[in-house]
Amino acid sequence: MADDGAEKTEQPTSKKLQDAAEKGQIARSKDMGTAFVLIGSATAILVFGKMLAMAILDIGQRMLRLNPKDIFETNSMFTAWGDVAQHLIPPMAGIFFIIVIAAFIGNTFLGGFNFSWQAAGFKASKMSPMKGLKRMFGLQALVELLKSFLKVLVVVGFAYFLLKMFFFDIMALSLMSEPNNIESALHFLAWLFFGLCSSVSIIALVDAPYQKWNHIKQLKMSLQEIKDEYKSSEGDPQIKARIRRTQMQMSMKRMMQEVPNADVIVTNPTHYAIALKYDQGKFRAPVVVAKGVDEVAMHIRKIGNEHKVPVIESPALARSIFHTTKLDHPIPEQLFAAVAQVLAYVYQLKMYKKGKSSRPKSLAKNLPIPEGYRH
């Protein structure tokens, strides 16, 4: 019994469909393209057929009429061809335009417009006789054979029905005088052609859903293929976790390198540690250069002590800055007043240690922290 992971039971993902389209593998119905071209041709003849017939009639009369003056005119042949072009180009251009539009719509209606260099390129596998025999005697070849029989039956049936319906009208053409019989004959022929072309649309209506179903069936995926695709597109979870760890380590190392340059470290005193730096010429407010909890906080305090960075205990302010300010970002405006008191105290303490000022008063325990910024 086949393993469930190997059974192609899942619908193709969008990436699978996109990759297939890049290789030129899209749902296409040749019968739909043929039906659109034939119906478009019939429509073009119905629209421009009379104009084309009259142009041909005028050209025939012009070419078969002998004018004595033209015998001695050396440019008469070129003039005649100019008249032919003048009469034929407008109806032929209209017919050609309708057919081109119909062909484009018919061939892009099912799978959309798609051009693939991979599909257009040379592949040695296409020249393989074995693969050619497989295509000739495979399921797809059998389906195409059945469709061919169905086409013949449908077209012959429609032809018989149309001839039987218009039989007496066609026979009546022999009783009409020229040019009415020509116009009527063209009218009948155009509608007969349109009816025969419309019969092909029945095949297209059956073939288009089948081609869509067959295309999806060929691209179905197994559960393992979906997992492999996810890993290749999103990345292996283990590798991503390793990358995140490496990024965190690099970020931690860079953060610790900034601690010696800090002006003050605000602590909880044990759980939180925030290193602040204030450069009046560069920042409008103090910036958080390092922050952390527990072991990271202890490491920040250790580096600060080694480099004689002032450490101030203010639990409420430490928690507030930690939860409201990102790393390398300035503190929020609502904490300016509280941080300003801390920096002022640190500055006075430095002056005192240098003997340039008296000992500062102890920092206030209840710093001005807004209610919404308390954590």
Side-chain angles (χ1 to χ4, degrees):
M1 184 174 180
D3 183 37
D4 290 342
E7 294 179 2
K8 298 181 181 295
T9 57
E10 306 301 316
Q11 294 294 319
T13 61
S14 57
K15 185 178 184 302
K16 178 79 171 181
L17 293 172
Q18 183 179 357
D19 291 344
E22 291 176 356
K23 297 176 182 178
Q25 299 175 5
I26 57 175
R28 280 283 186 261
S29 174
K30 295 180 180 179
D31 293 309
M32 177 170 284
T34 303
F36 267 83
V37 171
L38 291 175
I39 294 175
S41 302
T43 303
I45 291 175
L46 285 172
V47 175
F48 295 100
K50 184 176 180 180
M51 183 186 301
L52 178 62
M54 293 299 101
I56 295 174
L57 179 62
D58 291 341
I59 291 170
Q61 292 175 349
R62 169 71 176 82
M63 292 299 182
L64 297 176
R65 185 183 299 117
L66 180 62
N67 191 335
K69 183 179 64 176
D70 295 336
I71 298 175
F72 304 99
E73 181 63 44
T74 58
N75 295 325
S76 61
M77 181 59 69
F78 298 102
T79 304
W81 281 113
D83 293 339
V84 169
Q86 184 179 359
H87 284 81
L88 283 181
I89 287 178
M92 291 298 293
I95 292 173
F96 180 76
F97 177 76
I98 293 177
I99 293 175
V100 169
I101 296 298
F104 179 81
I105 295 175
N107 286 282
T108 59
F109 185 80
L110 185 60
F113 178 77
N114 182 70
F115 179 79
S116 172
W117 286 108
Q118 295 186 35
F122 174 78
K123 290 183 180 179
S125 60
K126 294 180 179 179
M127 307 296 292
S128 172
M130 295 303 297
K131 289 189 176 181
L133 290 173
K134 186 177 179 181
R135 287 193 296 268
M136 289 174 62
F137 298 101
L139 178 62
Q140 187 65 26
L142 178 61
V143 172
E144 293 298 327
L145 179 62
L146 293 176
K147 282 167 45 181
S148 299
F149 279 119
L150 183 61
K151 290 178 191 176
V152 173
L153 292 175
V154 171
V155 172
V156 170
F158 262 74
Y160 176 78
F161 173 77
L162 292 172
L163 288 174
K164 185 176 181 180
M165 177 183 292
F166 294 105
F167 178 77
F168 293 105
D169 294 320
I170 295 173
M171 297 302 295
L173 291 175
S174 60
L175 303 177
M176 295 183 182
S177 58
E178 188 273 333
N180 292 331
N181 57 346
I182 297 178
E183 293 183 11
S184 299
L186 290 173
H187 180 76
F188 279 125
L189 285 174
W191 278 107
L192 286 172
F193 181 56
F194 184 85
L196 287 174
C197 295
S198 299
S199 66
V200 183
S201 63
I202 298 176
I203 311 297
L205 291 175
V206 176
D207 182 63
Y210 168 77
Q211 295 296 340
K212 185 71 175 179
W213 171 83
N214 190 48
H215 175 67
I216 297 298
K217 179 176 176 291
Q218 291 177 351
L219 295 179
K220 276 191 173 182
M221 305 171 67
S222 65
L223 292 173
Q224 186 61 42
E225 286 177 331
I226 294 177
K227 291 178 182 178
D228 293 341
E229 181 185 283
Y230 176 79
K231 285 183 179 180
S232 63
S233 59
E234 299 295 331
D236 192 326
Q238 295 181 354
I239 296 176
K240 291 176 69 177
R242 192 180 305 122
I243 292 173
R244 284 196 297 268
R245 285 196 300 270
T246 303
Q247 291 175 340
M248 290 179 63
Q249 291 173 359
M250 294 177 62
S251 177
M252 184 70 66
K253 183 179 180 180
R254 186 170 58 253
M255 183 177 69
M256 293 305 174
Q257 290 175 348
E258 293 295 327
V259 173
N261 301 322
D263 294 319
V264 64
I265 297 175
V266 184
T267 66
N268 189 33
T270 57
H271 296 293
Y272 293 85
I274 312 295
L276 298 174
K277 181 175 179 58
Y278 181 46
D279 188 346
Q280 295 183 358
K282 189 175 181 181
F283 306 111
R284 70 179 186 89
V287 174
V288 176
V289 295
K291 69 174 186 175
V293 295
D294 298 332
E295 293 183 2
V296 177
M298 182 178 66
H299 197 47
I300 292 174
R301 291 195 303 272
K302 180 182 177 182
I303 296 176
N305 291 329
E306 291 174 354
H307 292 83
K308 298 181 180 180
V309 178
V311 178
I312 304 298
E313 294 184 7
S314 180
L317 181 60
R319 291 194 299 269
S320 179
I321 296 175
F322 182 86
H323 290 290
T324 60
T325 311
K326 296 180 179 180
L327 190 66
D328 296 328
H329 282 66
I331 62 172
E333 187 176 346
Q334 290 79 358
L335 299 178
F336 280 4
V339 174
Q341 291 188 28
V342 173
L343 292 176
Y345 174 77
V346 170
Y347 177 77
Q348 293 173 9
L349 192 62
K350 286 182 179 180
M351 293 295 102
Y352 168 72
K353 290 180 179 180
K354 291 179 181 180
K356 297 181 180 181
S357 175
S358 59
R359 185 179 184 86
K361 295 181 180 180
S362 300
L363 184 66
K365 293 184 178 181
N366 296 323
L367 294 174
I369 300 174
E371 192 65 31
Y373 284 79
R374 294 182 179 274
H375 292 271

